[in-house]
Amino acid sequence: MNPTAQISYNNVTCGNGNENCGNSVFKNTKIINEIQITLQQSTDNEKSEILKWIFQFEPPNRHKRVCTDRVGGVGNWIFETLEFVNWAANGSTFPNILFCYGEPGVGKTFISSLVIDTLISRHGNDNVGVFYLYCDYLTPEIKTATDLMGALLKGVLAGLPGLHEEIIQEFNKSKKHMGRTLGLEEIEKMLKAALASFRRNFICIDALDEFPVENRPALLRSLENIIQDSPGTRIFLTGRRHIRDEVERLFAGALQIISIEPTKQDISIYITERLAQDQITNKAIDDNLEKEIMSVIPQTLSGMYVKAITRQNQIFLLVALTINQVLSEPTISKRRKRLREMTKGLSLEGVYKGMLERVRDKLGLEVLMWLSHSERPLHADELCYALGIVIESTDHDRDNVPQIEALSKYCQGLVVVEKQTSTVRLMHLTLQKYLRDHPSLFERTHSLIAETCLTHLNFQCVRNFSPTLHSAPTETPFLKYASCYWGEHARKESTERVKTLALKLLNQHDKHISAKLLLLEKSWPWGHDLDGIPDGFSGLHCAAFFGLHEIAISLLHAEVTDFRRKDITGSTPLTWAARNGHKRLVRLFLKWGYFDPEAEDIGECTPFSWAARNGHKGVVELFLQESAINFETKDCFGRTPLSWASGGGHHGVVKVLLDRQGIDPETKDHSDRTPLSWASGGGHENVV
């Protein structure tokens, strides 16, 4: 899984400091950018539907967890810097944007949470909006500027008592067009209107470097548009050092910059707090050991600063790892020995290596394998259920499921369970990178995960579930992950056992509950119900969806399905292969000649349209070699493949399409928009 960003957002904080704002702010009609915006009360159900339409996902409140882990007094130095004072000041003469940078492990996210809470505290009774988002490399829901700005808009609107009439009208129009979603330009306009309801606004975005690099320019330009038309808005950003030039190039004079470096005082405060917490529950410490800890760790880390001042080592993370490992020992003698081991030749890689050497139990290694290679974060009950599955068994043994409380113990503190969301995660993104950079730690990672998923899907108890269910039964918490991701793991690494288990699952696949769960989670058009069984979504459709080449060949040779048959979405196997960018399978299907390359789905999209829409240049080039295809086919929105590629910012696809004679760049859709207007509205300067 490539690092991607997830957003965790909270509602606006204003007025009395509570998360929801009072109605008094919205009594009057406002004129914003010569567009009359009126606020209209809506029912809770309608508002919930509209917010889901703006941004579908409901990420956890990461801010609460970060605040819980934060130590009071650490990081307060930032509020004394001239850069922060000028940025936070109420006046148009000061820069609108503050960018704080540093390497992984220096405490950027803790600084973000501290800034957020301080702004809320300072402006709790001053009609000031404070909005915040945390980018997270673990989850794939946020990929584009449209996604992130939509999440921000949703967070702002969630705290308002009513919705702008314009938003409600757009929502009602979308119902007539298969749930058409908002474009970036529309989101920006609505966000500016909502922000204008407050005297001032602060937008805080943490870990900008974890947002996909190819989409960061569009996001930064979108933020620039916000501050240009909303002069009362201040933006706080954090990220790693390597994106500093990127941020500076765009914002130039509107930017203040701070380098985040934990001070020796920060380190001492943190260690003191951890020792105080330890003494409440553990007596394995005396004055001499405490003095040694307070002396050795800061002194060792100060030496590291001198040696590596230009590259900013992960100082604060090393402090946390070191003190936690020392305090995990049961006696004073063992703690003193562990302290000397940990601080000898101290480096992040060395610390991780030493900690992993202490993970001797097979269960601990399995936990680390799953968490470092899963396609999304796993909930505690999902992980425990998966760990209890015996590959190739025929049914589930509940007595083989480990307890979540044991996992952290087996993993030497490298695993954290978030209480609010019951999500299990690695303790830091640098650990994720370390584990992936050392594949010898685990054997056959993806094939083992695929085998586990497929074993579960082939359980008789799972096969007995009705294929009409809209969600996984509570007694099988791992079913949704297994249904939606087994193929991702199988594509990355396969074995004969994977193939055998997969072919068993794919027999009469549309009668299996996993088919419906996959469509509902990954591909079903918003605004339409998927009732009954997912008729026609055969084993070959599923193999094409995931790009499983060898399995697809086996199914083709077995001739167990009508190759031309469309599934409940109107898609053929060729549609799914093209839509998801599986070039090798598209080539195979075109070569066999059984599939219609111009077959339309329920949205009147062809396989070629989907390939262009999702930016799969290699697949588009394959279709361009097929002279019989209409390359300007229009879907139910009147949009052509070029229109979709332009609106998505897919520069490579746009180029190959424009190089093709006969493709008209001025074609208008049902909204009277051209490909150029879609590219411009999405902030895709590289396409324009």
Side-chain angles (χ1 to χ4, degrees), residues 274-275 278-279 281-286 289 293 321-342 354-355 357-360 412-413:
R274 286 292 290 111
L275 290 173
D278 176 71
Q279 289 173 356
T281 58
N282 199 315
K283 303 301 181 183
I285 195 165
D286 57 19
L289 177 59
I293 290 172
L321 288 171
T322 302
I323 190 66
N324 288 343
Q325 286 295 295
V326 170
L327 298 183
S328 69
E329 297 293 349
T331 67
I332 292 176
S333 178
K334 288 183 178 180
R335 285 183 168 188
R336 182 172 283 111
K337 180 181 179 182
R338 187 73 173 142
L339 172 65
R340 292 169 181 173
E341 289 175 350
M342 292 286 290
M355 294 176 74
E357 287 174 350
R358 294 164 65 88
V359 181
R360 299 186 179 94
Q412 291 292 313

Side-chain angles (χ1 to χ4, degrees), residues 519-566:
L519 288 176
L520 285 171
E521 177 73 8
K522 296 268 193 168
S523 302
W524 191 246
W526 185 90
H528 289 67
D529 293 327
L530 179 54
D531 293 323
I533 65 173
D535 189 47
F537 191 67
S538 68
L540 187 59
H541 284 77
C542 185
F545 182 101
F546 286 121
L548 304 176
H549 188 263
E550 291 186 8
I551 292 173
I553 289 176
S554 295
L555 292 169
L556 286 169
H557 284 301
E559 298 184 352
V560 295
T561 185
D562 177 2
F563 301 137
R564 296 175 179 81
R565 186 183 180 189
K566 293 183 178 182

Side-chain angles (χ1 to χ4, degrees), residues 338-478:
R338 187 73 173 142
L339 172 65
R340 292 169 181 173
E341 289 175 350
M342 292 286 290
T343 53
K344 184 179 180 180
L346 189 62
S347 70
L348 190 59
E349 182 159 322
V351 169
Y352 282 147
K353 181 181 179 182
M355 294 176 74
L356 286 167
E357 287 174 350
R358 294 164 65 88
V359 181
R360 299 186 179 94
D361 191 273
K362 179 183 177 183
L363 180 62
L365 290 174
E366 287 180 358
V367 170
L368 295 174
M369 178 195 76
W370 275 92
L371 295 184
S372 59
H373 291 83
S374 62
E375 292 293 312
R376 64 158 171 79
L378 294 169
H379 293 288
D381 54 355
E382 289 180 312
L383 177 60
C384 290
Y385 195 104
L387 292 170
I389 294 173
V390 178
I391 293 174
E392 288 192 305
S393 59
T394 58
D395 230 327
H396 183 50
D397 181 4
R398 294 182 181 276
D399 294 336
N400 200 43
V401 177
Q403 297 298 308
I404 187 63
E405 292 77 13
L407 299 188
S408 183
K409 171 187 173 183
Y410 286 125
C411 296
Q412 291 292 313
L414 293 171
V415 170
V416 176
V417 181
E418 296 187 357
K419 293 181 180 179
Q420 183 186 12
T421 62
S422 295
T423 300
V424 192
R425 62 177 178 84
L426 298 173
M427 52 84 60
H428 198 267
L429 65 89
T430 54
L431 176 57
Q432 171 100 3
K433 184 177 185 302
Y434 180 88
L435 293 175
R436 291 191 173 185
D437 287 347
H438 293 78
S440 60
L441 290 169
F442 314 108
E443 294 183 5
R444 297 195 307 107
T445 302
H446 287 290
S447 62
L448 282 173
I449 294 177
E451 289 168 9
T452 302
C453 292
L454 287 165
T455 295
H456 179 50
L457 295 176
N458 283 315
F459 279 168
Q460 190 58 51
C461 64
V462 173
R463 287 188 169 277
N464 290 339
F465 290 140
S466 169
T468 63
L469 294 177
H470 280 71
S471 60
T474 55
E475 64 266 27
T476 53
F478 184 59

Side-chain angles (χ1 to χ4, degrees), residues 4-139:
T4 53
Q6 182 188 356
I7 301 304
S8 174
Y9 59 83
N10 251 47
N11 294 342
V12 56
T13 301
C14 66
N16 59 8
N18 294 327
E19 287 187 346
N20 293 323
C21 303
N23 292 336
S24 59
V25 179
F26 307 102
K27 287 181 179 177
N28 299 321
T29 299
K30 298 176 179 288
I31 304 296
I32 303 166
N33 293 336
E34 300 181 355
I35 299 174
Q36 184 162 326
I37 305 294
T38 59
L39 295 176
Q40 176 178 316
Q41 295 291 340
S42 57
T43 66
D44 289 342
N45 287 341
E46 181 185 35
K47 184 174 181 179
S48 178
E49 281 189 56
I50 293 174
L51 293 179
K52 186 176 180 180
W53 168 65
I54 291 171
F55 182 69
Q56 178 181 358
F57 301 99
E58 294 289 347
N61 181 0
R62 188 179 176 194
H63 180 68
K64 184 175 181 179
R65 176 182 62 78
V66 176
C67 291
T68 301
D69 294 340
R70 206 173 65 220
V71 173
V74 174
N76 285 343
W77 57 266
I78 192 172
F79 303 118
E80 300 174 5
T81 63
L82 182 61
E83 291 85 357
F84 184 90
V85 171
N86 287 342
W87 171 80
N90 185 13
S92 59
T93 58
F94 297 110
N96 299 78
I97 299 173
L98 178 60
F99 175 59
C100 296
Y101 71 90
E103 293 303 314
V106 297
K108 299 185 297 298
T109 296
F110 288 114
I111 290 290
S112 291
S113 69
L114 180 62
V115 168
I116 291 164
D117 283 347
T118 301
L119 291 173
I120 291 172
S121 177
R122 287 184 181 182
H123 300 287
N125 297 297
D126 203 18
N127 187 25
V128 172
V130 178
F131 315 100
Y132 47 92
L133 308 96
Y134 288 83
C135 297
D136 192 333
Y137 73 105
L138 279 174
T139 49

Side-chain angles (χ1 to χ4, degrees), residues 154-169:
K154 179 179 181 177
V156 175
L157 294 177
L160 305 185
L163 296 176
H164 296 129
E165 185 177 350
E166 179 187 12
I167 296 177
I168 297 174
Q169 290 174 350

